[in-house]
Amino acid sequence: VNSKIHDIFKGWSLQPLDPDGRVKIWVYGVSGGAFLIMIFLVFTSYLVCKKPKPHQSTPPQQKPLTLAYDGDLDM
């Protein structure tokens, strides 16, 4: 059964299987790293693509502008 699996990976320069047919430890590391990168990409795309929240705060109320009349005729 394992001979078919070994035949598939025979031409590869990186051998993911031991001679006894077990998966080498670096394959688990690469798989875990790829999984973490995928989670990071999904989280990052969520943050980039989500809609921004509308501002709930009300702007400060403005006072009406009062003009002082000093009695000049040019006004």
Side-chain angles (χ1 to χ4, degrees):
V1 177
N2 288 340
S3 64
K4 291 181 182 179
I5 295 174
H6 282 289
D7 290 340
I8 292 172
F9 296 118
K10 197 172 216 175
W12 290 23
S13 62
L14 295 173
Q15 299 294 324
L17 301 176
D18 284 336
D20 60 352
R22 294 189 306 168
V23 179
K24 291 184 180 179
I25 193 74
W26 65 265
V27 177
Y28 294 113
V30 170
S31 300
F35 179 74
L36 290 176
I37 289 173
M38 287 174 44
I39 295 296
F40 175 74
L41 290 175
V42 168
F43 181 70
T44 305
S45 64
Y46 169 75
L47 289 178
V48 168
C49 296
K50 75 175 186 174
K51 293 181 181 179
K53 293 181 182 178
H55 288 293
Q56 297 291 336
S57 62
T58 58
Q61 218 170 19
Q62 295 180 349
K63 296 179 182 176
L65 182 63
T66 57
L67 297 176
Y69 178 67
D70 61 356
D72 278 347
L73 295 174
D74 56 347
M75 286 191 76

